[in-house]
Amino acid sequence: IEDKKDELDEMLEVKHRECKEGKENLEAQIAESENSLKKWQTKLAVSTEGLNEASLESHLKNTHHSELVQDYQKTSKECCDNKNMFTSELCALEKIRGELYKMEGDKVEFIADCEVSEWSPSECSVSCGGGMQKLIRTIVVHPNRGAECPPLEMERTCNVEPCPIDCELGDWSGWSGCSADCGGGVEQRTRDVKTQPAHGGDACGETSETVTCNIQACDVDCDLSDWSEWGTCSKACGGGHQRRNKAVLKPAVGQGACAPAKSPARLDFQPCNWNKCVPKSPSRVLQCQSKVDVIILLDGSGSLGPMGWKYSQAAARVLVQALQGGVDGAQVAVQLFSGPKSMAAYRKCAGSNPKDTPDMEKDCGISWVSHFTNDTASVAGKIRKLVWPRATTLTGTALAEAESELLYGRQDANSIVVVITDGRPMSVRRTNEQSKRLIDRLNTRLVWVPVGKYVPLELVEGWVSLPKEDNLVVVKDTKDLYKPDTLNKIIGDLCPKVE
């Protein structure tokens, strides 16, 4: 219900904004077109010289437009460079902060800065004459010895313009010629304004009627490069994938089309290394020999049942043991997550009130078994001692907490988040948002291991990294999770090099 309410509020706000922007845009276009029409009609009536002057002015405006386009492209590049620089500086400062804590002798295992959502505005208190508008945002990641949360509520003035005076119109003129030779022009007819609108009153939308003409396209599609060379195979055995892509050489112009980066037109995969994986270990489980940073999110919700929890716990322990730690080996972090046991606790965990900071373990059912370490044997021992939380499934918040842990990963290691779960997330919306954030913004590989029949597989398929075949391991029953074949499939998907 909370997800649906938030979704509808966002849709309503988007529609209001689109309508307002559309109205303002059309009013500006109409006003500009009317002024332009009157100007050219006057010049045309005076002499041919007026037409020549208009042609010269049009040429100058085209030159000015080209200059503005160049300035825009230059400024856009500068903004992008500055953004990347500030992001790098922020990451470096967070690293330095951790080192300073260590230098001061403060034993800090984990630091997380507060992260909040975008502002969500409410409706203005009045339609004109000056009112107030309230904006709110929620906490996405709660602080843990890091930067505190900024204010979650603010107010601003709105609709400060005086109340409107409506427009009064005269009779229609005849139709004009077409305004463009291609790309869709317009023919217009107008009528005079007897009373100008003021203070946001009803605009003279009926002072001009238009019909389209010369609608053949002038827009240009983007230019794509040839296919790149095939990359290395994602798996050493058991069937992996190579990828290739097409880069954008020239962006689309106007309404020209350009395929999305992840569409089949620009991203392609082919199977590779179909030779069967043969484990050398007596346990018949593959051993990871790759330099990877792996975060395992282990579901401890009540829907598992006692035996389901037993198999999940055992599988996680064997999985961690198979990740060979070391400077050039694997580094692992493990989080046990379930969820709140009451609606009051859920509201705390959802971050709607900055003064009501939840205890992540007691209120939200989320705890770190271990932060990043290459001592995988020690982590496996901690997993063996875990107690089944037996609560709900707050998957979205678990993914958000994993994002904070990724800051402590190695720059030269591939970052992978593995979600082992048997239930439907409490908030599908937040789970979807956090999955896309990890994949698209943080360039993290996200692997899902859905177990049993209650996981919404059709949704999970949209939350994994591409290609889906390398990042989705479907397990029909919890008892199958502990089987060597299942564990080998997971390990083989995580590690390009296995033994």
Side-chain angles (χ1 to χ4, degrees):
I1 294 175
E2 291 286 339
D3 280 355
K4 192 63 178 177
K5 177 181 178 296
D6 291 343
E7 181 182 350
L8 292 174
D9 286 342
E10 288 182 3
M11 291 175 60
L12 185 60
E13 177 61 28
V14 168
K15 290 298 182 184
H16 282 316
R17 185 167 59 250
E18 289 177 349
C19 288
K20 182 178 179 181
E21 291 174 354
K23 179 182 178 183
E24 292 174 352
N25 184 37
L26 290 173
E27 289 174 354
Q29 290 184 40
I30 290 170
E32 183 180 354
S33 298
E34 289 173 348
N35 292 334
S36 177
L37 179 61
K38 291 177 182 178
K39 175 182 175 181
W40 293 117
Q41 284 176 338
T42 301
K43 287 189 175 183
L44 187 60
V46 172
S47 64
T48 305
E49 182 180 357
L51 179 60
N52 295 334
E53 291 176 357
S55 298
L56 177 61
E57 183 177 353
S58 176
H59 175 72
L60 293 175
K61 285 187 178 292
N62 285 333
T63 302
H64 185 212
H65 176 264
S66 299
E67 294 173 352
L68 290 176
V69 169
Q70 292 177 358
D71 290 341
Y72 169 78
Q73 293 173 344
K74 179 181 177 182
T75 303
S76 296
K77 184 178 183 302
E78 291 175 353
C79 288
C80 182
D81 292 341
N82 288 337
K83 179 183 176 183
N84 292 336
M85 180 183 68
F86 292 145
T87 301
S88 299
E89 290 180 358
L90 179 61
C91 182
L93 288 173
E94 291 173 341
K95 293 286 186 180
I96 292 171
R97 177 180 62 186
E99 293 301 321
L100 289 175
Y101 272 121
K102 293 179 182 179
M103 291 173 63
E104 292 176 0
D106 192 358
K107 185 177 180 182
V108 179
E109 294 183 354
F110 179 69
I111 301 172
D113 293 329
C114 179
E115 292 189 22
V116 295
S117 65
E118 297 294 332
W119 285 112
S120 177
S122 63
E123 187 175 357
C124 188
S125 59
V126 296
S127 60
C128 65
M132 297 299 295
Q133 184 180 48
K134 186 176 181 180
L135 296 92
I136 60 174
R137 56 185 174 183
T138 59
I139 298 173
V140 177
V141 176
H142 291 277
N144 182 17
R145 303 194 68 175
E148 294 297 325
C149 295
L152 298 185
E153 295 185 5
M154 67 173 289
E155 288 187 343
R156 65 183 178 189
T157 57
C158 56
N159 295 343
V160 295
E161 65 277 5
C163 289
I165 298 174
D166 295 335
C167 174
E168 185 178 354
L169 305 172
D171 296 326
W172 290 108
S173 67
W175 290 101
S176 68
C178 191
S179 63
D181 295 328
C182 68
V186 293
E187 293 177 345
Q188 297 179 325
R189 66 173 183 174
T190 62
R191 55 181 175 179
D192 294 332
V193 178
K194 293 183 178 180
T195 301
Q196 290 286 353
H199 311 313
D202 287 343
C204 302
E206 297 178 357
T207 59
S208 175
E209 285 187 349
T210 62
V211 292
T212 57
C213 54
N214 296 339
I215 60 174
Q216 63 273 20
C218 292
D219 300 317
V220 181
D221 294 344
C222 68
D223 287 340
L224 299 177
S225 66
D226 293 332
W227 286 107
S228 65
E229 297 295 327
W230 288 106
T232 57
C233 193
S234 61
K235 298 170 64 175
C237 57
H241 288 85
Q242 294 174 290
R243 71 165 60 199
R244 62 177 182 173
N245 67 289
K246 288 186 177 183
V248 177
L249 299 178
K250 292 182 180 179
V253 177
Q255 299 299 315
C258 197
K262 293 184 179 180
S263 68
R266 289 183 54 191
L267 183 62
D268 189 23
F269 298 94
Q270 72 172 7
C272 55
N273 292 349
W274 278 101
N275 52 301
K276 185 178 180 181
C277 294
V278 181
K280 296 181 179 180
S281 170
S283 65
R284 297 188 294 125
V285 175
L286 292 172
Q287 302 297 300
C288 177
Q289 303 291 325
S290 303
K291 189 172 186 178
V292 290
D293 288 346
V294 181
I295 300 177
I296 298 175
L297 307 184
L298 181 62
D299 185 358
S301 59
S303 57
L304 279 166
M307 293 306 298
W309 164 248
K310 177 181 176 182
Y311 285 121
S312 296
Q313 184 181 21
R317 177 173 51 80
V318 175
L319 180 59
V320 169
Q321 289 174 332
L323 298 172
Q324 299 296 308
V327 176
D328 294 320
Q331 186 173 251
V332 66
V334 178
Q335 177 199 106
L336 175 63
F337 75 95
S338 53
K341 296 182 178 180
S342 67
M343 184 54 68
Y346 174 77
R347 292 194 179 97
K348 272 189 179 182
C349 300
S352 57
N353 186 351
K355 297 180 180 179
D356 199 7
T357 303
D359 183 309
M360 294 305 295
E361 182 172 358
K362 293 181 180 179
D363 295 326
C364 307
I366 294 176
S367 62
W368 285 98
V369 180
S370 172
H371 294 290
F372 270 133
T373 179
N374 54 22
D375 186 0
T376 54
S378 173
V379 178
K382 292 179 181 179
I383 294 174
R384 184 189 294 273
K385 299 177 182 179
L386 288 177
V387 177
W388 180 26
R390 197 164 50 184
T392 50
T393 314
L394 201 61
T395 316
T397 303
L399 289 168
E401 291 288 315
E403 179 182 335
S404 297
E405 181 71 15
L406 288 169
L407 294 173
Y408 301 90
R410 296 170 292 183
Q411 295 293 327
D412 58 344
N414 292 328
S415 298
I416 308 173
V417 176
V418 184
V419 184
I420 303 175
T421 181
D422 85 313
R424 184 182 183 89
M426 290 188 71
S427 174
V428 171
R429 177 173 172 270
R430 176 167 286 192
T431 302
N432 182 64
E433 290 176 351
Q434 291 300 326
S435 296
K436 292 183 182 299
R437 179 180 172 87
L438 286 173
I439 295 171
D440 297 335
R441 293 184 59 182
L442 301 181
N443 199 29
T444 300
R445 187 174 164 204
L446 186 54
V447 178
W448 283 73
V449 184
V451 184
K453 61 183 179 180
Y454 298 111
V455 182
L457 192 58
E458 69 282 357
L459 295 177
V460 172
E461 289 178 347
W463 297 339
V464 300
S465 298
L466 294 177
K468 181 178 66 176
E469 294 81 3
D470 288 351
N471 298 285
L472 179 63
V473 181
V474 180
V475 183
K476 293 183 178 181
D477 193 279
T478 51
K479 64 183 179 181
D480 296 330
L481 187 59
Y482 187 58
K483 292 181 178 179
D485 287 346
T486 303
L487 293 169
N488 288 339
K489 177 68 170 67
I490 298 172
I491 297 167
D493 285 345
L494 299 181
C495 304
K497 184 179 178 181
V498 295
E499 183 177 277

